[in-house]
Structure formats: structure tokens, C-alpha cells
């Protein structure tokens, strides 16, 4: 692994002993042109199961490709992602979570060819399938076939991203489907580092994509194009909706939704996105987060929601949601 690879694939994992081998095998199955190479950069976030031992064995079998970073105390997903990103050596970067997997063996080759052929492209995005964990069912993207490759200015994707809304050609925007130009990521971090790397956001994908779509990664103003490839290339693991409904809400879930809502508001303000265009998202997620916070008795989630609604009066929520937040704050402040 002395020569720098063309592609770096980030794999973040934590307690995923049942799926991590599948993830890495799916990346190893990628078919690249002769003379092209990839590295798989794995960061285990202090797993307490046998995840690390499994990756150590795979790295020993394929030391030319699989690189397991040294063990460290648990960092959380945001810090873990960006510290792993800093270790990547490829011209292009993507990621695949330790419970997801790639489904198209030509995905990376196709994306790399597009980026190689157009220096104005900062990334190539694709569709994705969902993998239902409980049943082992792979659910393809519901979008109709027939779309052609589309290339648009990244700025056109900023509002759909922050609205958490689908894009016609590819559906929801998912960072793990993207092959990113490494130089664009470096420029974005240099310009918008504080806005991109914020552990309080609770996510790494939303702030990074927002900065790139807003043009922070472009070498010049007009060099901010994104290719939309309308085919499924990876599987995103999800729980069965019935299981989610039947399960007890957790403080972690409440904090995630509250933090993501706050991150969305901060990013929208920073990049000048009209809050009115995000109204359906704010209304839906604020209500969901408020219910989760109250049912899971998460004072932190309630505090995040209350501070966000105070700081951003332009976020319009229903009276019922505002009452839920106030009730949660009063009840949980006594815990």
C-alpha cells in the first residue's frame, strides 16, 4: 500500500460483528479498471464485541487494501468520521457504514470515470436500496427507470438536502452513495471547517454535503457541478417500520432528531436558504422529536428543541408541538 490509491472508502463501525465482514467484502468486490486501486480505511469506534477482531483478520488477509486504524476511546460518529477522513489518501472518497453494503460491482468504476472525465464535477451521487434487517429483504429504490445521467449545479441541491426531500433523478440524497473529489472536500473544510465539523450536530453527512452544494469545495465559482446517476448502487440498512412503532423510544433517538433539526436550521441560516421552503420538514420532525423526547424522558432532547425554537422564530411548528416541548421542559427539568 505504498502507492496512493485512486479511491478511499471510509468504513466506520461500532459493535457490528454480524455485518462488518459483509460490508468489507462488498467493497472488495468492486471491479476497477486495470491500474486503478482503492483502500478501505476502517475505524472501529471502541467496539465491545468482536468487530475489531474480524476486521483485524480481514486486514491481515488483504493488507494491500484493508487498513484498520489504531484503536482509540469512543469518539462518536462525527469525530470518528472526520478523523478517519484525514487518514484517506485517495483522489476520491466515499464511505460505507459497517452495517451497509455496496450492491453494484461497477459503482466505483463508473463514478470514477465520470469524475476523471469532467474536472468541474465535485461528486457523483446515485440511488440506493434499503435492506430490511429483520427480514433480510432488499428493497430497490421505488423511482421509475428511464432517467438518464443528469449533471446540475450543486446549488440546486442545497434546498432539497436541507428539506430532507427527494430529488427526482435519485430520490433522497445519501452521502454514502457519493464519490467525492478529495480536493473539493479539502477546500470545503478549509473554508467552512467550523460549520462542517460540529459534534453537536450529531451527524457528519448533512453539514459536509451542505458546504459542498453551497460551493465551498469548488475551485472556481462555476466548477460546482454534481452528477446524478439514476441507479441503485448500495444498500442502506433499516429496521422494519412495525418494529420501530412497537419498540420503546430511546433518548438517543430523541436527541438525534432534535440535533438534526437544529443542525438544519443553523445550516439554512448560514447558507441563506429560505426557511419557508423547509416548513414541511420542520413541522414533521419537530413534532416527532418532541414526542420522542417526552416518551423517552430525554431532558437533553427537550432542551435542544426549546433552545432551537427560541433561537429560530422563523421555524413554524404546530401549537401542539410547541405545547409538547414546553410540557417536556417543565416535567423533565424536575428529574
Amino acid at each position: 500500500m505504498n502507492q496512493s490509491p485512486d479511491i478511499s472508502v471510509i468504513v466506520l463501525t461500532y459493535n457490528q460483528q454480524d455485518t462488518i465482514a459483509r460490508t468489507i467484502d462488498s467493497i472488495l468486490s468492486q471491479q476497477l479498471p486495470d491500474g486503478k486501486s482503492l483502500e478501505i480505511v476502517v475505524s472501529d469506534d471502541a467496539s465491545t464485541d468482536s468487530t475489531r477482531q474480524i476486521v483485524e483478520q480481514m486486514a491481515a488477509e488483504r493488507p494491500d487494501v484493508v487498513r484498520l486504524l489504531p484503536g482509540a476511546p469512543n469518539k462518536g460518529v462525527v469525530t470518528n468520521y472526520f478523523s478517519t477522513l484525514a487518514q484517506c489518501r485517495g483522489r476520491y472518497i466515499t464511505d460505507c457504514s459497517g452495517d451497509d453494503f455496496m450492491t453494484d460491482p461497477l459503482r466505483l468504476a463508473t463514478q470514477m470515470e465520470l469524475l476523471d472525465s469532467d474536472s468541474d464535477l465535485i461528486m457523483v451521487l446515485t440511488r440506493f436500496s434499503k435492506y430490511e434487517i429483520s427480514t433480510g429483504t432488499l428493497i430497490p429504490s421505488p423511482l421509475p427507470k428511464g432517467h438518464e445521467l443528469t449533471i446540475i449545479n450543486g446549488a440546486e441541491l442545497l434546498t432539497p438536502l436541507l428539506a430532507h426531500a427527494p430529488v427526482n433523478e435519485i430520490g433522497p440524497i445519501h452521502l454514502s452513495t457519493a464519490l467525492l473529489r478529495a480536493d473539493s472536500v479539502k477546500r470545503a473544510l478549509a473554508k467552512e471547517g467550523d460549520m462542517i465539523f460540529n459534534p453537536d450536530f450529531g451527524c457528519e453527512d448533512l453539514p459536509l454535503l451542505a458546504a459542498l452544494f453551497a460551493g465551498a469545495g469548488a475551485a472556481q465559482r462555476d466548477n460546482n457541478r454534481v452528477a446524478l446517476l439514476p441507479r441503485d448502487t448500495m444498500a442502506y440498512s433499516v429496521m422494519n417500520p412495525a418494529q420501530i412503532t412497537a419498540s420503546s423510544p430511546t433518548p438517543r433517538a430523541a436527541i438525534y432528531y432534535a440535533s438534526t433539526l437544529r443542525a438544519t436550521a443553523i445550516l439554512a441560516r448560514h447558507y441563506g436558504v429560505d426557511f419557508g421552503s423547509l416548513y414541511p420538514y420542520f413541522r414533521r420532525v419537530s413534532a416527532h422529536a418532541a414526542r420522542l423526547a417526552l416518551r423517552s424522558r430525554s431532558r437533553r432532547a427537550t432542551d435542544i428543541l426549546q433552545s432551537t425554537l427560541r433561537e429560530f422564530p422563523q421555524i413554524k411548528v404546530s401549537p401542539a408541538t410547541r405545547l409538547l416541548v414546553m410540557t417536556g421542559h417543565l416535567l423533565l427539568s424536575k428529574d
Side-chain angles (χ1 to χ4, degrees):
M1 296 180 64
N2 293 325
Q3 183 178 353
S4 294
D6 295 283
I7 298 172
S8 294
V9 184
I10 295 171
V11 176
L12 304 186
T13 185
Y14 174 72
N15 284 354
Q16 293 169 324
Q17 62 182 15
D18 295 332
T19 59
I20 188 61
R22 179 186 64 191
T23 299
I24 295 174
D25 281 337
S26 75
I27 303 167
L28 291 171
S29 297
Q30 287 292 299
Q31 301 171 17
L32 299 182
D34 291 342
K36 303 296 184 181
S37 63
L38 63 81
E39 66 173 355
I40 304 172
V41 188
V42 186
S43 182
D44 170 47
D45 203 13
S47 291
T48 58
D49 63 3
S50 61
T51 297
R52 188 168 189 87
Q53 289 72 29
I54 294 170
V55 179
E56 286 175 340
Q57 179 62 35
M58 300 187 80
E61 294 172 356
R62 292 296 307 271
D64 57 320
V65 180
V66 182
R67 181 155 61 100
L68 175 60
L69 299 182
N74 186 273
K75 302 174 184 177
V77 65
V78 176
T79 300
N80 195 21
Y81 178 85
F82 287 106
S83 62
T84 306
L85 176 65
Q87 299 297 316
C88 293
R89 303 174 302 154
R91 297 185 294 126
Y92 305 123
I93 296 170
T94 188
D95 71 86
C96 190
S97 177
D99 59 353
D100 298 336
F101 53 98
M102 296 187 182
T103 57
D104 181 351
L106 295 178
R107 169 196 159 173
L108 295 180
T110 303
Q111 290 177 304
M112 180 168 56
E113 181 181 5
L114 288 167
L115 287 165
D116 281 344
S117 66
D118 187 347
S119 61
D120 289 346
L121 285 178
I122 60 170
M123 74 178 78
V124 180
L125 289 162
T126 78
R127 297 177 180 176
F128 62 91
S129 306
K130 292 182 179 180
Y131 178 77
E132 197 171 90
I133 298 170
S134 61
T135 63
T137 303
L138 190 65
I139 306 171
S141 167
L143 294 174
K145 297 180 180 180
H147 281 290
E148 301 293 333
L149 175 73
T150 303
I151 297 178
I152 64 175
N153 190 288
E156 296 180 44
L157 296 172
L158 184 55
T159 295
L161 173 75
L162 295 182
H164 301 257
V167 178
N168 287 340
E169 294 83 357
I170 60 170
I173 299 170
H174 197 319
L175 177 62
S176 293
T177 73
L179 188 63
L180 309 170
R181 195 178 296 278
D183 286 345
S184 296
V185 174
K186 291 175 183 176
R187 278 190 290 267
L189 285 167
K191 294 178 182 178
E192 297 284 1
D194 291 342
M195 191 58 55
I196 295 172
F197 175 51
N198 186 336
D200 289 341
F201 284 173
C203 60
E204 79 291 356
D205 49 354
L206 190 67
L208 177 57
L209 286 171
L212 290 169
F213 292 157
Q220 298 178 5
R221 192 180 189 89
D222 296 331
N223 303 135
N224 189 38
R225 304 205 299 168
V226 176
L228 307 177
L229 185 64
R231 74 188 200 209
D232 291 10
T233 65
M234 65 157 289
Y236 174 55
S237 294
V238 297
M239 290 180 64
N240 185 300
Q243 287 182 309
I244 297 174
T245 302
S247 63
S248 299
T250 65
R252 181 179 178 183
I255 292 168
Y256 169 78
Y257 282 105
S259 298
T260 302
L261 184 142
R262 179 169 181 80
T264 300
I266 292 172
L267 292 167
R269 178 177 63 189
H270 183 74
Y271 294 115
V273 174
D274 175 30
F275 273 65
S277 64
L278 310 181
Y279 172 74
Y281 166 77
F282 284 135
R283 186 179 179 90
R284 181 180 73 252
V285 174
S286 62
H288 184 57
R291 288 192 296 267
L292 286 178
L294 195 56
R295 291 175 60 196
S296 66
R297 302 193 67 80
S298 174
R299 179 177 176 179
R300 183 180 170 194
T302 300
D303 287 347
I304 293 170
L305 286 171
Q306 186 178 59
S307 65
T308 301
L309 295 180
R310 283 178 175 173
E311 183 177 349
F312 296 93
Q314 60 269 56
I315 295 179
K316 306 301 181 184
V317 301
S318 70
T321 296
R322 200 169 291 276
L323 181 61
L324 271 178
V325 173
M326 292 175 58
T327 301
H329 180 74
L330 290 172
L331 289 176
L332 300 177
S333 63
K334 299 176 182 179
D335 287 357

